[in-house]
C-alpha cells in the first residue's frame, strides 16, 4: 500500500490535479460555510457582478437560447452594440455554456465558473513553476521536496489578495488565470525559440478580456527586458520573435478589439487626458502594509492595491535579496520591476499608464496580480535555493519585516489594515523565521519535520486569508424575488401592446421600474428600457438625460427624473412598481401579480417621431438651468405655458424627515438643495412609499398626484435635514407638446435586433428622430436609398425627411467587426504559415 501511494504521487497528472483541485475544493467549502446556494440562501454577487455581470449573463443566455442577434441588443439601455458588450463583459469561452444553463441558475453558473477560474490560476501557476524551475526529473518523476512547495505557491496565486478581492469580477479572471502561461510562453519564446504557447495564450487572453490583457502586455515588455538581459546569445532574434508573435496575438484579437475601441469612443473615458501634474497617493510603508494577511479588501477610489501573496512569500523575497546562490545580475532586474510596480501603485502618472492611459473609477491597482506573480516567482526561487541564506540573513530579514510592520501599524488606518492583521502577520513572520533557522541548523529529521510544519502553516495562512477576505455574499432570494411576477406582468404588457396596434403594425415600447434592483434590470428581466449602467455608456445620451433633469453620469443614464414629454420621446409605455397607489393622470394600472403592478403611461410615442428643424434649433438644451430646459422643450413644441412651475409650499424640515403640505391639486415633482443620504422614501398622507436611490445624483423626483392639503413625507436614511423645491406639472402644456410630436410618427412594420422597417406620412418637412443612441453602425434608408444619419442633440439618431409618404429602413452592423474579422483571419493565417516555415526549416 505504501509503495502504491508513492507510485501514485510519481504520476504527472496527480500534481496538476492537486494544483487545480485544492483551490476548487477550498473555494466550495468557503462558500458552503457562507451559505452560498445550494448550501444556503446566499449568493456571491457583489458590486458590478450584482449590477452588471449577472444581468448581462442573463441577456447573453437569452440570445444563445433564442437565436437573437449578437450584434445588437434592445435590452441594454436604449439599445447597445452587443459585440462591444460581449468583448468587454462576456468573452470568456466558458460563457458559451450558458446555452445549457436554466434561467433560474445563472447565478450558480457564475459561481461555478468563478471556482473554475480560481482553480485554473493555481493549475497554470503550477505549470509555470514546474517548467521554469525544472521540478520534474529527466525520467518524468517529480522532486517531492520542490513539488509540494510549488503547490503552496500555486495556491497563493489562486488565493492572492487580488483574487480574494476581485474574484467576483469574473470577466477579468480568464486573463488572470492565463497570465502564468503567458509568462511561461514568453520564457519558451526567448530561451527555446518555441513560440506557440506564447502566441496562443496571449491571443486567447486578448480575446477574453482586452483590458486586463493590455496590462499584461505592458508587463510583458518589462519581463522581456529581464529575459533579454539574461540572454547570452541571439538577443536580436529574440527581440524579433517577441515583436512578431506579440503583433500576431494582437492581430488575432482584432475581431473584438476594433469594435471595442470604436465603442469606447462614445464613452466618457475617451476624454481622459494624460495627467499634467504628478501626485503621490501614499507612502511606501502604507503601501507595503497591504501585504499583511487578512488586510481589508479595497475596491474604492483611493488607489490602495490588494497585494497579499502570503507572509511566507514576503519573507522569502527579502531573503532572495540576501541569497548568495542567486546572482546580482538576476536580482537587480527583478527587484527593479517590483519597485516599478510599487511606484505605479502610488504615483498618478504611472497609475494612468498601467491602466491603459485611463484612470479607473474604482477597483484600483488592477496590475496587482502581476506584482504578486513576480513576488511568488522570486519567493519560490529563494525557497529552492535557501541554502544560499545564512542565519544572519534570516535575522536581518525578520528585523526588516517587523520594522515595516510596526511602522505600518502606526501609520495605516484601521479601515485598511486592522490591528489583528498586523499581529497575525507578525506571528507568521516569527514562525517562518524560526522554521528557517531550524532548517539551517537542525538534524535531517528535524529539518524535514519543520519543513512540513512550515508548509502546513503556509497553507493555513493562505486559506485563512481567503476565508476572511474573499467570496462576499448577499441574499439570493431577495435578488430574484421579482423574477416570476415580472414575467407575468411583462407578458401582460406584450398582449396589451398588441391590442393597441393597428393591422400590420409592430408596436415597439420600453418598460421602466420604479423599484429597480439594478440599473440593468432590462437585461435581468428581459425588456427594453431607458436605463443603463455600463462602462460602455454613450456619454452624449447621459448628457442629454442630465440636461432635462434626469439621472446621468460617467457610466450610466437612468429614467429617474423623466417628465411626461421626455418619457414619451423615449417610448416608455409601461411602468413596473410595488406601489398600488401610483395611478394618476399620467398612468393607470392594467395588471398585478402578487404585490407587483403594471402601469400604462398615457404619454408614449413610437420609436420614430417628427420634429421640425425650427423646433430643434430653438431648443438649446446645453445652456441654463435644467428645470428651464424642460419648459423650453415644451415651448419649442407649441406649448404656451411652463410644463413644470415652481410653487410655494408649507415645509417642515427635521433630521431625517421633511414634511410638505401642498396648496393645490396637481402632480408634483421636487428637487433638493443638497442631500448626503443615498436614498429617499416619498409617501403621501402616510400611504405606500416610493423609494428613490442614488439621490445625490441630482435628478427630479416625482412625488405623485396630490390634493390640496395633502401631506407629503420625505424620509432619508442619514438623519439629514433636507430642503426641497416643489414643481407642479401643467397637463395642458404637456398635452400641447405631446400632440405636436404625436401628429407625425413612424408606423413600424418589421422589427428585429438589427433591422427596422416602417413608413411615415410627413405633413411638414423636418427631422425624423429615433429614440436610439446616435452611434455609427446604423444605416438609414429612405424610400430605398441610403440617407445621411444626423444626430439629435448629439445623443439620438435622426434623418431629414421632406413632405410626403416615405418608407424607412434602418440596418445595424457592428462598426469595425468586418475589418477586425479580416485582420484576425490574416493574423491566424500568418501564424500558421510561420509555424509551417519553421517546421520545414527544422526538418531540412
Amino acid at each position: 500500500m505504501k509503495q502504491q501511494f508513492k507510485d501514485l504521487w510519481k504520476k504527472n497528472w496527480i500534481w496538476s490535479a492537486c494544483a487545480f483541485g485544492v483551490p476548487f475544493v477550498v473555494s466550495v467549502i468557503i462558500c458552503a460555510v457562507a451559505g452560498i446556494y445550494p448550501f444556503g440562501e446566499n449568493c456571491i454577487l457583489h458590486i458590478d457582478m450584482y449590477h452588471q455581470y449577472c444581468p448581462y449573463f442573463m441577456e447573453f443566455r437569452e440570445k444563445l437560447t433564442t437565436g437573437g442577434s449578437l450584434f445588437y441588443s434592445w435590452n441594454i439601455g436604449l439599445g447597445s452594440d452587443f459585440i462591444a458588450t460581449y468583448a468587454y463583459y462576456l468573452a470568456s469561452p466558458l460563457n458559451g455554456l450558458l446555452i445549457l444553463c436554466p434561467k433560474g441558475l445563472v447565478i450558480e453558473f457564475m459561481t461555478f465558473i468563478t471556482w473554475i477560474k480560481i482553480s485554473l490560476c493555481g493549475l497554470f501557476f503550477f505549470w509555470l513553476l514546474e517548467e521554469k524551475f525544472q521540478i520534474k526529473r529527466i525520467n518524468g518523476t517529480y522532486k517531492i521536496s520542490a513539488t509540494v512547495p510549488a503547490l503552496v505557491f500555486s495556491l497563493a496565486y489562486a488565493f492572492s489578495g487580488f483574487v480574494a478581492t476581485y474574484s467576483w469580477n469574473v470577466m477579468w479572471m480568464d486573463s488572470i488565470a492565463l497570465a502564468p502561461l503567458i509568462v511561461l510562453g514568453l520564457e519558451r519564446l526567448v530561451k527555446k525559440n518555441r513560440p506557440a504557447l506564447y502566441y496562443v495564450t496571449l491571443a486567447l487572453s486578448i480575446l477574453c478580456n482586452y483590458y486586463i490583457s493590455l496590462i499584461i502586455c505592458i508587463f510583458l515588455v518589462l519581463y522581456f527586458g529581464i529575459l533579454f538581459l539574461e540572454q547570452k546569445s541571439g538577443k536580436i532574434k529574440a527581440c524579433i520573435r517577441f515583436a512578431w508573435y506579440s503583433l500576431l496575438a494582437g492581430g488575432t484579437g482584432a475581431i473584438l478589439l476594433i469594435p471595442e475601441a470604436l465603442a469606447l469612443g462614445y464613452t466618457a473615458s475617451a476624454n481622459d487626458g494624460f495627467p499634467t501634474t504628478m501626485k503621490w497617493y501614499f507612502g511606501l510603508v502604507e503601501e507595503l502594509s497591504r501585504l499583511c494577511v487578512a488586510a481589508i479588501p479595497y475596491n474604492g477610489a483611493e488607489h490602495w492595491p490588494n497585494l497579499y501573496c502570503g507572509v511566507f512569500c514576503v519573507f522569502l523575497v527579502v531573503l532572495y535579496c540576501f541569497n548568495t546562490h542567486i546572482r546580482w545580475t538576476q536580482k537587480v532586474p527583478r527587484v527593479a520591476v517590483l519597485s516599478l510596480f510599487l511606484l505605479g501603485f502610488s504615483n498618478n502618472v504611472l497609475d494612468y499608464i498601467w491602466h491603459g492611459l485611463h484612470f479607473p473609477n474604482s477597483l484600483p491597482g488592477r496590475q496587482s496580480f502581476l506584482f504578486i506573480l513576480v513576488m511568488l516567482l522570486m519567493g519560490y526561487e529563494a525557497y529552492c535555493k535557501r541554502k544560499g541564506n545564512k542565519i544572519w540573513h534570516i535575522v536581518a530579514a525578520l528585523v526588516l519585516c517587523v520594522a515595516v510592520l510596526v511602522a505600518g501599524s502606526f501609520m495605516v488606518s484601521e479601515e485598511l489594515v486592522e490591528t489583528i492583521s498586523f499581529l497575525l502577520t507578525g506571528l507568521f513572520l516569527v514562525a517562518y523565521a524560526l522554521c528557517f533557522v531550524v532548517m539551517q541548523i537542525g538534524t535531517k529529521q528535524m529539518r524535514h519535520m519543520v519543513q512540513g510544519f512550515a508548509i502546513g502553516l503556509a497553507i493555513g495562512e493562505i486559506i485563512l486569508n481567503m476565508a476572511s477576505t474573499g467570496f462576499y455574499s448577499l441574499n439570493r432570494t431577495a435578488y430574484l424575488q421579482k423574477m416570476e411576477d415580472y414575467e407575468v406582468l411583462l407578458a401582460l404588457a406584450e398582449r396589451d401592446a398588441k391590442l393597441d396596434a393597428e393591422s400590420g403594425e409592430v408596436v415597439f415600447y420600453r418598460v421602466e421600474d420604479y423599484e429597480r434592483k439594478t440599473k440593468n434590470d432590462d437585461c435581468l428581466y428581459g425588456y427594453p428600457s431607458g436605463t443603463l449602467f455600463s462602462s460602455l455608456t454613450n456619454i452624449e445620451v447621459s448628457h442629454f438625460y442630465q440636461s432635462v433633469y434626469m439621472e446621468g453620469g460617467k457610466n450610466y443614464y437612468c429614467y429617474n427624473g423623466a417628465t411626461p414629454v421626455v418619457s414619451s420621446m423615449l417610448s416608455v409605455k409601461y411602468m413596473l412598481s410595488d406601489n398600488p397607489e401610483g395611478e394618476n393622470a399620467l398612468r393607470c394600472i392594467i395588471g398585478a401579480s402578487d404585490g407587483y403592478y403594471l402601469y400604462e403611461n398615457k404619454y408614449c410615442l413610437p420609436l420614430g417621431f417628427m420634429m421640425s428643424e425650427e423646433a430643434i434649433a430653438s431648443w438649446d438644451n446645453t445652456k441654463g438651468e435644467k428645470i428651464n430646459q424642460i419648459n423650453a422643450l415644451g415651448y419649442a413644441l407649441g406649448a404656451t405655458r411652463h410644463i413644470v412651475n415652481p410653487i410655494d409650499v408649507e415645509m417642515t424640515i427635521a433630521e431625517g424627515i421633511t414634511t410638505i403640505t401642498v396648496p393645490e391639486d396637481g402632480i408634483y415633482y421636487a428637487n433638493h438643495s443638497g442631500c448626503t443620504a443615498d436614498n429617499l422614501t416619498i409617501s403621501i398622507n402616510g400611504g405606500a412609499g416610493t423609494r428613490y436611490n442614488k439621490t445625490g445624483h441630482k435628478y427630479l423626483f416625482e412625488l405623485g398626484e396630490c390634493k390640496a392639503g395633502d401631506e407629503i413625507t420625505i424620509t432619508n436614511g442619514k438623519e439629514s435635514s433636507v430642503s426641497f423645491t416643489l414643481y407642479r406639472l401643467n397637463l395642458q402644456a404637456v398635452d400641447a407638446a405631446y400632440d405636436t410630436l404625436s401628429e407625425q410618427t413612424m408606423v413600424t412594420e418589421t422589427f428585429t435586433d438589427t433591422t427596422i422597417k416602417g413608413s411615415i406620412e410627413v405633413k411638414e418637412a423636418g427631422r425624423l428622430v429615433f429614440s436610439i443612441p446616435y452611434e455609427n453602425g446604423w444605416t438609414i434608408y429612405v424610400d430605398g436609398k441610403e440617407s445621411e444619419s444626423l444626430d439629435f442633440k448629439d445623443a439620438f439618431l435622426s434623418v431629414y425627411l421632406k413632405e410626403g409618404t416615405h418608407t424607412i429602413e434602418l440596418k445595424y452592423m457592428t462598426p469595425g467587426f468586418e475589418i477586425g474579422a479580416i485582420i484576425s483571419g490574416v493574423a491566424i493565417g500568418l501564424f500558421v504559415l510561420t509555424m509551417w516555415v519553421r517546421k520545414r526549416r527544422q526538418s531540412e
Side-chain angles (χ1 to χ4, degrees):
M1 177 66 73
K2 186 176 181 180
Q3 185 59 41
Q4 289 177 356
F5 183 76
K6 288 183 177 180
D7 291 341
L8 177 66
W9 285 100
K10 290 179 182 179
K11 294 182 182 293
N12 294 348
W13 63 267
I14 195 67
W15 297 107
S16 293
C18 287
F20 179 89
V22 171
F24 186 87
V25 171
V26 173
S27 295
V28 173
I29 292 173
I30 292 173
C31 288
V33 172
I36 303 299
Y37 188 87
F39 306 105
E41 288 302 315
N42 292 330
C43 63
I44 65 169
L45 298 185
H46 184 61
I47 308 180
D48 288 349
M49 193 182 200
Y50 178 104
H51 291 281
Q52 296 185 75
Y53 309 158
C54 185
Y56 292 155
F57 269 65
M58 289 282 197
E59 175 67 4
F60 187 36
R61 178 201 168 274
E62 185 68 15
K63 285 186 172 292
L64 290 176
T65 54
T66 62
S69 173
L70 295 179
F71 289 106
Y72 203 80
S73 172
W74 293 97
N75 291 350
I76 301 179
L78 293 168
S80 297
D81 185 283
F82 195 76
I83 290 293
T85 302
Y86 174 83
Y88 199 95
Y89 293 102
L90 299 163
S92 170
L94 293 175
N95 292 346
L97 297 174
L98 275 168
I99 196 171
L100 305 175
C101 179
K103 184 177 181 179
L105 294 177
V106 169
I107 296 175
E108 285 60 56
F109 175 87
M110 298 176 74
T111 304
F112 182 73
I113 65 171
T114 299
W115 295 340
I116 292 292
K117 292 176 184 182
I118 289 173
S119 304
L120 288 175
C121 288
L123 175 63
F124 294 161
F125 195 84
F126 176 78
W127 286 354
L128 170 61
L129 295 179
E130 175 189 338
E131 183 167 321
K132 180 175 176 62
F133 295 102
Q134 300 177 346
I135 63 178
K136 185 161 59 174
R137 298 185 181 92
I138 297 176
N139 64 3
T141 60
Y142 284 81
K143 305 171 187 175
I144 304 297
S145 60
T147 306
V148 174
L151 290 176
V152 176
F153 280 81
S154 301
L155 183 64
Y157 183 72
F159 284 174
S160 67
F162 183 92
V163 172
T165 303
Y166 293 137
S167 62
W168 55 265
N169 208 323
V170 65
M171 68 183 190
W172 290 355
M173 289 301 297
D174 300 77
S175 295
I176 293 162
L178 286 168
L181 287 186
I182 297 171
V183 171
L184 177 57
L186 182 58
E187 296 244 3
R188 287 184 181 180
L189 176 73
V190 174
K191 296 179 180 179
K192 301 178 181 179
N193 190 17
R194 295 167 56 191
L197 181 63
Y198 176 73
Y199 163 79
V200 171
T201 53
L202 181 57
L204 180 59
S205 178
I206 291 170
L207 288 167
C208 287
N209 188 267
Y210 85 95
Y211 184 72
I212 295 298
S213 297
L214 177 59
I215 295 172
I216 290 174
C217 287
I218 296 172
F219 169 72
L220 289 174
V221 174
L222 299 177
Y223 198 80
F224 175 77
I226 293 175
L227 298 179
F228 179 83
L229 293 174
E230 294 176 353
Q231 189 82 347
K232 294 181 180 179
S233 61
K235 291 188 175 184
I236 300 300
K237 290 183 178 179
C239 289
I240 294 173
R241 291 196 299 273
F242 176 60
W244 175 243
Y245 290 104
S246 298
L247 183 64
L248 289 182
T252 301
I255 190 172
L256 296 181
L257 287 177
I258 293 178
E260 189 66 19
L262 294 174
L264 288 169
Y266 295 104
T267 67
S269 61
N271 299 320
D272 282 355
F274 200 91
T276 55
T277 57
M278 184 176 292
K279 293 191 299 185
W280 296 93
Y281 302 141
F282 35 72
L284 181 62
V285 172
E286 296 101 308
E287 191 173 4
L288 293 176
S289 296
R290 298 294 296 162
L291 289 161
C292 286
V293 63
I296 295 174
Y298 188 83
N299 49 46
E302 297 298 321
H303 309 288
W304 293 102
N306 298 283
L307 302 180
Y308 173 79
C309 53
V311 176
F312 63 93
C313 180
V314 176
F315 189 67
L316 282 166
V317 168
V318 179
L319 290 178
Y320 177 96
C321 298
F322 289 117
N323 197 297
T324 58
H325 289 182
I326 301 173
R327 300 187 307 274
W328 280 104
T329 54
Q330 185 178 348
K331 293 177 185 178
V332 171
R334 286 167 173 78
V335 172
V337 168
L338 287 183
S339 301
L340 188 61
F341 270 112
L342 293 172
L343 289 171
F345 296 134
S346 60
N347 178 268
N348 69 318
V349 174
L350 293 176
D351 183 41
Y352 180 81
I353 294 171
W354 268 113
H355 289 99
L357 304 181
H358 169 68
F359 285 119
N361 291 328
S362 57
L363 318 184
R366 301 179 186 187
Q367 73 274 34
S368 301
F369 71 99
L370 295 168
F371 170 85
I372 290 166
L373 186 148
V374 176
M375 287 280 290
L376 290 168
L377 289 177
M378 293 170 65
Y380 182 75
E381 184 172 3
Y383 180 84
C384 292
K385 298 178 179 179
R386 59 189 178 277
K387 292 183 180 179
N389 287 115
K390 304 180 185 301
I391 298 295
W392 75 267
H393 293 163
I394 299 171
V395 174
L398 178 62
V399 171
L400 182 61
C401 289
V402 170
V404 172
L405 202 63
V406 172
S409 67
F410 287 101
M411 299 171 65
V412 178
S413 167
E414 282 271 334
E415 296 178 356
L416 293 170
V417 185
E418 295 177 308
T419 302
I420 187 65
S421 294
F422 284 113
L423 292 174
L424 282 172
T425 302
L427 291 174
F428 279 119
L429 281 170
V430 172
Y432 292 130
L434 291 174
C435 288
F436 274 95
V437 169
V438 173
M439 283 190 278
Q440 288 282 359
I441 64 176
T443 63
K444 183 177 181 180
Q445 183 178 7
M446 187 177 293
R447 289 199 303 272
H448 286 165
M449 290 177 60
V450 170
Q451 186 178 6
F453 172 78
I455 288 172
L457 186 64
I459 293 173
E461 174 205 336
I462 296 167
I463 294 175
L464 169 66
N465 184 81
M466 189 65 177
S468 59
T469 63
F471 293 118
Y472 309 87
S473 64
L474 55 80
N475 188 269
R476 176 181 183 272
T477 304
Y479 191 81
L480 298 175
Q481 66 181 2
K482 298 191 288 189
M483 190 72 72
E484 292 182 0
D485 293 307
Y486 274 22
E487 285 183 2
V488 173
L489 296 178
L490 291 170
L492 174 60
E494 185 175 359
R495 292 194 299 271
D496 181 74
K498 288 179 179 179
L499 291 175
D500 291 343
E502 297 180 4
S503 177
E505 181 184 7
V506 177
V507 177
F508 173 83
Y509 60 88
R510 293 189 172 99
V511 180
E512 274 297 339
D513 185 352
Y514 275 118
E515 293 82 26
R516 61 182 64 85
K517 185 68 66 176
T518 74
K519 282 186 169 64
N520 291 305
D521 277 10
D522 45 9
C523 292
L524 191 62
Y525 302 115
Y527 57 79
S529 83
T531 298
L532 174 66
F533 171 38
S534 169
S535 296
L536 300 175
T537 296
N538 186 315
I539 191 61
E540 296 299 341
V541 175
S542 178
H543 288 163
F544 179 88
Y545 272 45
Q546 292 175 72
S547 74
V548 290
Y549 233 138
M550 294 171 68
E551 185 181 3
K554 186 174 182 179
N555 56 5
Y556 61 89
Y557 55 80
C558 182
Y559 183 77
N560 285 341
T563 44
V565 176
V566 177
S567 174
S568 72
M569 294 169 69
L570 299 177
S571 303
V572 177
K573 186 175 179 66
Y574 299 104
M575 301 294 299
L576 297 165
S577 177
D578 63 3
N579 183 357
E581 301 174 7
E583 197 166 31
N584 55 39
L586 300 180
R587 61 188 63 90
C588 61
I589 291 179
I590 62 170
S593 178
D594 196 20
Y596 298 102
Y597 303 90
L598 179 69
Y599 290 83
E600 182 178 10
N601 286 334
K602 175 182 176 181
Y603 301 99
C604 178
L605 294 166
L607 187 62
F609 53 89
M610 291 294 295
M611 282 187 72
S612 69
E613 292 291 351
E614 181 183 358
I616 293 172
S618 66
W619 182 45
D620 184 358
N621 67 322
T622 62
K623 298 177 181 178
E625 295 184 8
K626 296 177 180 181
I627 202 71
N628 293 335
Q629 297 304 331
I630 299 171
N631 293 323
L633 174 61
Y635 286 122
L637 294 173
T640 57
R641 297 180 180 180
H642 283 6
I643 288 178
V644 283
N645 296 278
I647 191 165
D648 293 328
V649 296
E650 181 182 332
M651 185 181 307
T652 303
I653 303 172
E655 291 185 356
I657 185 168
T658 302
T659 304
I660 302 166
T661 302
V662 299
E664 56 182 304
D665 296 358
I667 295 173
Y668 286 86
Y669 295 83
N671 61 15
H672 59 70
S673 57
C675 179
T676 58
D678 195 50
N679 57 75
L680 298 172
T681 301
I682 299 167
S683 65
I684 301 173
N685 297 328
T690 299
R691 180 185 174 95
Y692 288 100
N693 296 315
K694 301 296 181 183
T695 49
H697 290 172
K698 297 289 286 185
Y699 55 86
L700 207 58
F701 310 111
E702 182 183 333
L703 303 180
E705 187 168 17
C706 301
K707 300 294 184 182
D710 281 353
E711 186 175 88
I712 301 172
T713 303
I714 306 177
T715 57
N716 66 78
K718 277 197 172 182
E719 300 299 315
S720 301
S721 299
V722 184
S723 175
F724 294 88
T725 301
L726 263 65
Y727 302 89
R728 183 177 177 273
L729 185 70
N730 186 318
L731 288 173
Q732 289 75 23
V734 171
D735 286 333
Y738 179 76
D739 288 344
T740 300
L741 292 175
S742 62
E743 187 176 359
Q744 303 176 87
T745 60
M746 186 180 79
V747 176
T748 304
E749 297 156 358
T750 301
F751 187 92
T752 68
D753 287 339
T754 56
T755 302
I756 302 167
K757 293 181 181 179
S759 60
I760 185 170
E761 183 179 347
V762 179
K763 300 175 183 177
E764 179 184 351
R767 198 92 64 85
L768 177 60
V769 179
F770 303 95
S771 56
I772 301 172
Y774 178 75
E775 297 172 357
N776 292 329
W778 283 108
T779 304
I780 303 177
Y781 298 89
V782 177
D783 300 327
K785 296 180 180 180
E786 184 176 339
S787 298
E788 180 184 4
S789 298
L790 304 173
D791 70 87
F792 172 69
K793 303 303 176 184
D794 296 324
F796 298 106
L797 190 67
S798 68
V799 64
Y800 180 80
L801 296 180
K802 297 179 180 179
E803 291 182 11
T805 301
H806 302 282
T807 60
I808 308 296
E809 184 175 8
L810 289 81
K811 292 183 178 180
Y812 188 82
M813 170 52 69
T814 296
F817 179 78
E818 293 171 326
I819 186 64
I822 293 171
I823 293 172
S824 293
V826 170
I828 294 171
L830 287 173
F831 172 72
V832 172
L833 178 62
T834 303
M835 297 301 290
W836 179 78
V837 171
R838 282 170 49 86
K839 187 175 182 180
R840 286 291 300 271
R841 287 182 176 179
Q842 291 171 359
S843 62
E844 291 177 356

